[in-house]
Amino acid sequence: KSGPRGLALFQAERASMSESICYLHVGTGKTGSTAIQYALTREHRYLASQGIDYPDFSENLDIASAGKPTAGNGMVLYRKLRNGNVLGPIRTVRGHVEKGRRFVISCEGLWLLPRATLASFATGINDLGFDVRCLVVFRPQVDYLVSHYLQLVKAATMHWSIGLEDYVIEAVKKMRSGKANLNWLLVCEELAEVFGKDKIAVYWYPSLISSGLDEVVRRFFAWIDVPMPEGSTGRGIVNPSPNGEALMILRMMNSAGLGGRAFANEFLSQAHAAKLLDKRPMLSKERLVLIDGLTRRDNQEMLKRYASGYSVEAVGDSPFDLPVDQPLLRKEVVAEMLQMAGQVLARNGRV
């Protein structure tokens, strides 16, 4: 191309490329993903007016807008990628996006994909004409392990006889052998290899949540370079996690074949509304100290290298400082929760 017209076309193409961005939110689990995805769904018209699309890749935005948790608009893409199918997700993306605009893919499981698969997916999006930027949010590994176990219990995919301590003991064995992908420093190094260090953003969930429930969504909107709409907050879907008493009820229901995601969501929502779900430690101090010893140094190094704006102190206090071990279950709370569980089962014709 030559001459003023050719130069203008070249500049227009470069401007289009600079605005053609895929924001890829890859996880990790239980770090505010539900709140982010609900905000993206609720504000999709506002975002579109700002040049950012949240395409319905997985045909689940109606579910999210109704106030129910989803795995994000990238859920179906992730499932196909997990099975080694890269071409299918790329075709899906191509059919939903428009060059010259920006769009978001959110699914908290994407970070678990093999590096080669994630790299092929990113390359495919690049080939569509989009620059790919990645966001990953971490929480301490002990919190991640507890949350992951609780999600398995809620879905009744964890055998009811396996307790939290048993699950964590096995996870620690895998961490020590290098079989568990729970070293956040190594995860960041792999993401940096896939996307480029300057294209990944790393947030530390405990620091975000310490500033309020809205902060996770505010920081996400800041990452995609869009101001939060006036009057909007980051609050929306409540996706409560069990405490010790609720966990006992869920395992009991699972052992009888009465549990599962639908029961757990309704039961926990009711327990949350009754303010019965406290945040007391669910693991022994011994386990907390063990996992902290395995992860603290690498977490601090990860924050230092990849999470600008955080100090190494953000990792938090050592569990050595905990005054007491895990608390005993409260009989009165168990009794109230048992009554709630019976009501949920009765409403759904299970008893």
Side-chain angles (χ1 to χ4, degrees):
K1 298 174 183 177
S2 60
R5 185 178 180 185
L7 178 60
L9 288 172
F10 175 73
Q11 290 174 335
E13 287 177 0
R14 289 196 62 182
S16 175
M17 277 294 294
S18 68
E19 289 300 316
S20 300
I21 300 172
C22 169
Y23 295 102
L24 193 63
H25 171 219
V26 301
T28 55
K30 297 302 288 185
T31 55
S33 300
T34 299
I36 289 169
Q37 291 155 2
Y38 178 64
L40 289 169
T41 303
R42 184 187 61 211
E43 304 294 351
H44 74 277
R45 288 191 179 88
Y46 164 75
L47 289 169
S49 72
Q50 301 295 309
I52 295 186
D53 298 317
Y54 186 57
D56 196 4
F57 296 123
S58 301
E59 298 182 354
N60 60 4
L61 298 194
D62 285 344
I63 298 173
S65 63
K68 298 180 180 179
T70 71
N73 72 334
M75 177 186 67
V76 168
L77 305 180
Y78 166 69
R79 288 177 178 172
K80 292 179 179 179
L81 290 166
R82 186 177 58 189
N83 292 325
N85 179 356
V86 177
L87 184 58
I90 292 299
R91 286 173 173 167
T92 299
V93 170
R94 183 172 58 196
H96 283 78
V97 301
E98 180 181 342
K99 192 173 178 181
R101 291 181 64 83
R102 296 175 287 165
F103 70 97
V104 175
I105 300 175
S106 177
C107 180
E108 64 183 30
L110 288 168
W111 73 279
L112 291 165
L113 292 171
R115 183 175 63 187
T117 302
L118 193 57
S120 296
F121 183 56
T123 299
I125 295 177
N126 287 148
D127 291 343
L128 294 178
F130 293 88
D131 185 27
V132 182
R133 301 179 188 177
C134 170
L135 171 68
V136 61
V137 188
F138 295 117
R139 64 190 304 170
Q141 285 84 345
V142 65
D143 295 343
Y144 175 86
L145 285 172
V146 171
S147 295
H148 190 252
Y149 170 82
L150 296 177
Q151 292 304 307
L152 295 174
V153 172
K154 285 171 66 175
T157 53
M158 171 69 68
H159 193 274
W160 67 268
S161 65
I162 300 175
L164 176 58
E165 291 274 338
D166 299 326
Y167 175 81
V168 169
I169 288 171
E170 287 302 311
V172 168
K173 289 179 182 178
K174 292 179 181 178
M175 290 170 67
R176 283 175 160 165
S177 66
K179 294 180 180 178
N181 191 23
L182 292 175
N183 185 314
W184 300 153
L185 175 60
L186 294 181
V187 171
C188 283
E189 288 176 350
E190 291 191 351
L191 291 175
E193 288 185 20
V194 171
F195 301 102
K197 186 177 179 180
D198 61 326
K199 297 294 178 66
I200 65 170
V202 177
Y203 292 165
W204 188 243
Y205 183 73
S207 295
L208 296 180
I209 206 69
S210 68
S211 299
L213 296 174
D214 295 346
E215 190 63 18
V216 176
V217 175
R218 286 199 185 99
R219 289 293 296 275
F220 185 91
F221 272 62
W223 175 61
I224 62 176
D225 198 24
V226 172
M228 285 282 287
E230 186 175 348
S232 179
T233 71
R235 303 181 186 184
I237 298 174
V238 176
N239 187 18
S241 293
N243 60 356
E245 291 86 358
L247 175 58
M248 188 190 79
I249 303 296
L250 291 177
R251 291 177 65 193
M252 184 186 304
M253 294 299 112
N254 290 349
S255 71
L258 298 172
R261 181 73 66 182
F263 168 82
N265 286 341
E266 187 173 349
F267 165 69
L268 291 172
S269 294
Q270 191 170 333
H272 173 77
K275 302 187 185 309
L276 297 179
L277 300 179
D278 64 321
K279 298 294 184 182
R280 297 182 301 164
M282 297 184 67
L283 281 175
S284 66
K285 184 174 180 178
E286 178 186 359
R287 301 285 176 243
L288 295 173
V289 169
L290 175 60
I291 297 171
D292 182 76
L294 290 172
T295 59
R296 174 173 290 268
R297 183 176 298 178
D298 282 340
N299 283 347
Q300 290 175 331
E301 186 64 24
M302 179 274 295
L303 292 174
K304 181 180 176 181
R305 292 190 202 176
Y306 294 99
S308 60
Y310 295 101
S311 69
V312 294
E313 285 76 20
V315 169
D317 297 331
S318 167
F320 279 109
D321 302 325
L322 285 175
V324 295
D325 211 330
Q326 62 193 124
L328 298 174
L329 298 181
R330 298 163 294 177
K331 293 181 180 179
E332 69 280 5
V333 173
V334 172
E336 189 170 351
M337 286 186 173
L338 279 171
Q339 185 177 9
M340 286 182 178
Q343 292 170 351
V344 172
L345 292 173
R347 276 197 298 273
N348 291 279
R350 302 292 299 276
V351 293

